[in-house]
Amino acid sequence: MPMINGTDAADRCLVLVLRKGFTSLGDHLQTLLDLAVRVHLVTVESPTIADDPRFTSVVQLPESASHREFVDAAVGRARETGAAAVFTLLETDIEIAETANAEFGNGWATPEAAFVCRDKFRQREFLRQHGIPSVWYHPVTDIDKAVEVAAERGFPLILKPTRAAASEFVELVQDADRLRVALDRIKAMIDDNYGFYYEGEPTEWALLEEYLPGQEVTLDGVVVGGRFILGGVHNKLESSGPYFLEDLYTLPYTNPEREDELADIAARINTGLGTTTCMFNAELRQGADGAFRVVEFSIRVSGGHPYRHIKDVYSIDLLRMFVRAACGEPVDDILAQENRRSEPRMTVCAKVVYSNGTVVRNSVGEAIHSPHFRVYFATAKPGRVVAAGTQGFDATGLLSVWMPWQPGQDPSVVHNVAKELAQQLDIDVRDEAGQKSALA
């Protein structure tokens, strides 16, 4: 058994920074259990998290704690426990994790990469500097100036906050009046300190971007020993706006002949970032000419269920490879021992359930009896008020399905299975009048 800092490789120990998002990360945490990793969690205060047996210890900080306080807590816990590294599974925590890693002394840590990834304006500047396919963009520092620039460029334009996630507050705006409303909405979100997205207000707090009318995909992979390894490319819900709700993540990718092209873009990004050990995700979208351009990227795996999708369809386990590398195991051993990416063995789809109102019930219901049922994450607990579509960006739940697949099979086949099975979930959301709300 290889040695890590004088200890047996079986004695794996890591510090996990995760302020929220536990509901849909069950598969990720199970992988850590399967690898016998002792996980020391740094999170926000919770009345129940300390009783979770998946964590060896739990450090809880108030929700108002600063990035600096979380970094200090993570570094301190790593030193106290003899952990090999600090990591996260959440987009909003990558700066904390990478800064902690660097201060802890891990040479592969890339706080500069996290700094770029956490801000979409810095991403656009990075892509331009490295000649990687991107789009026209303009950083927003002032609402009046942004409206003036948009009028000169011409509508429609994509508007997005620089530091949000999961397409929250992203909108295709058609005119100056709507642009002002959407910009005010982003400003209010920042002022409310929503979602751990902003700590303070940066100079560039939103972006105007060229709209790409083509297909959007999400790519996931892992970097081990400086080498980018593709996991999978998901098709996503094709949307022409005005909002871009995350939905219908589907594998296998309908255009596998383009995977090498997409993987090359991902590899070029990681080369520019200087990463040697990380998970990686990128969103890309086709322009009118059919060419893919980068929408955004980050040094973490996709949120939700794509990680497990990739493992189910292609056999490769991105998180397992990363964790072993983060624990200091030899790269050659990891590459020789872990499953290589196989040919597709099924088709899968993640259906996000959206609704508006107060959640009364939210569980799997009769859907669990279907052979196509994979898992259901009830992301909104009873009593919570959810808002989607024109009213907000909340997900009520996430349903994942699987079924047999044949080469060339249209994604609509598994989409229909997912939509039909979603109707068998036991979900009851009521509007202000007490009427049952429709699910989307």
Side-chain angles (χ1 to χ4, degrees), residues 31 33 43 60 68 124 131 171 199 219 249 283 321 336 402 416 420 426:
T31 294
L33 288 174
T43 187
Q60 300 185 67
R68 183 69 255 169
R124 287 292 170 215
E171 183 176 343
E199 184 172 83
L219 172 151
Y249 277 67
E283 307 279 343
M321 296 173 72
W402 52 8
N416 289 335
E420 291 171 5
D426 183 21

Side-chain angles (χ1 to χ4, degrees), residues 84-349:
V86 179
F87 78 113
T88 188
L89 300 166
L90 189 67
E91 168 65 24
T92 49
D93 291 339
I94 61 174
E95 285 181 299
I96 293 172
E98 290 301 300
T99 301
N101 252 332
E103 294 185 10
F104 181 54
N106 272 320
W108 53 264
T110 52
E112 298 84 3
F115 181 75
V116 170
C117 292
R118 272 303 297 134
D119 188 288
K120 294 175 178 61
F121 171 59
R122 292 194 288 260
Q123 288 184 32
R124 287 292 170 215
E125 294 284 276
F126 169 90
L127 295 170
R128 179 183 59 81
Q129 292 164 6
H130 289 82
I132 296 170
S134 184
V135 295
W136 175 89
Y137 62 97
H138 175 77
V140 175
T141 59
D142 174 82
I143 292 179
D144 289 336
K145 181 61 177 177
V147 172
E148 178 184 332
V149 170
E152 292 175 358
R153 173 70 186 186
F155 293 95
L157 290 171
I158 293 288
L159 172 67
K160 60 179 63 171
T162 53
R163 294 178 64 87
S167 296
E168 287 195 301
F169 301 93
V170 176
E171 183 176 343
L172 180 64
V173 290
Q174 300 288 344
D175 56 55
D177 289 340
R178 181 59 205 178
L179 176 58
R180 286 186 181 277
V181 171
L183 285 167
D184 284 338
R185 195 178 187 189
I186 293 174
K187 286 281 286 182
M189 176 268 288
I190 296 171
D191 292 341
D192 289 342
N193 196 29
Y194 175 84
F196 299 120
Y197 289 152
Y198 292 82
E199 184 172 83
E201 184 177 312
T203 304
E204 300 86 10
W205 49 272
L207 272 186
L208 293 172
E209 290 185 354
E210 167 190 357
Y211 171 60
L212 300 174
Q215 180 189 64
E216 185 168 332
V217 299
T218 186
L219 172 151
D220 286 281
V222 64
V223 179
V224 178
R227 171 186 170 187
F228 175 76
I229 300 169
L230 177 67
V233 178
H234 278 78
N235 286 95
K236 296 175 63 176
L237 172 69
E238 295 189 18
S239 174
S240 57
Y243 303 105
F244 298 88
L245 298 178
E246 302 291 329
D247 203 1
L248 298 179
Y249 277 67
T250 307
L251 287 180
Y253 177 40
T254 51
N255 300 101
E257 72 280 1
R258 301 198 69 171
E259 284 187 336
D260 287 346
E261 169 193 352
L262 296 170
D264 179 67
I265 293 173
R268 289 170 61 191
I269 293 173
N270 279 282
T271 297
L273 291 173
T275 59
T276 59
T277 305
C278 71
M279 293 178 286
F280 182 77
N281 165 258
E283 307 279 343
L284 304 100
R285 194 172 176 111
Q286 289 177 297
D289 59 358
F292 275 104
R293 295 174 177 84
V294 178
V295 174
E296 60 184 62
F297 57 88
S298 188
I299 52 171
R300 49 91 183 172
V301 73
S302 285
H305 211 51
Y307 158 63
R308 184 63 202 216
H309 277 178
I310 291 167
K311 185 176 176 181
D312 287 341
V313 173
Y314 298 114
S315 302
I316 189 170
D317 193 327
L318 302 177
L319 179 58
R320 184 181 172 94
M321 296 173 72
F322 165 76
V323 167
R324 291 187 62 185
C327 286
E329 297 184 40
V331 172
D332 290 344
D333 287 354
I334 297 170
L335 297 179
Q337 295 164 6
E338 293 298 327
N339 287 338
R340 297 175 183 237
R341 190 170 185 263
S342 68
E343 291 298 313
R345 54 184 180 177
M346 66 178 72
T347 184
V348 294
C349 178

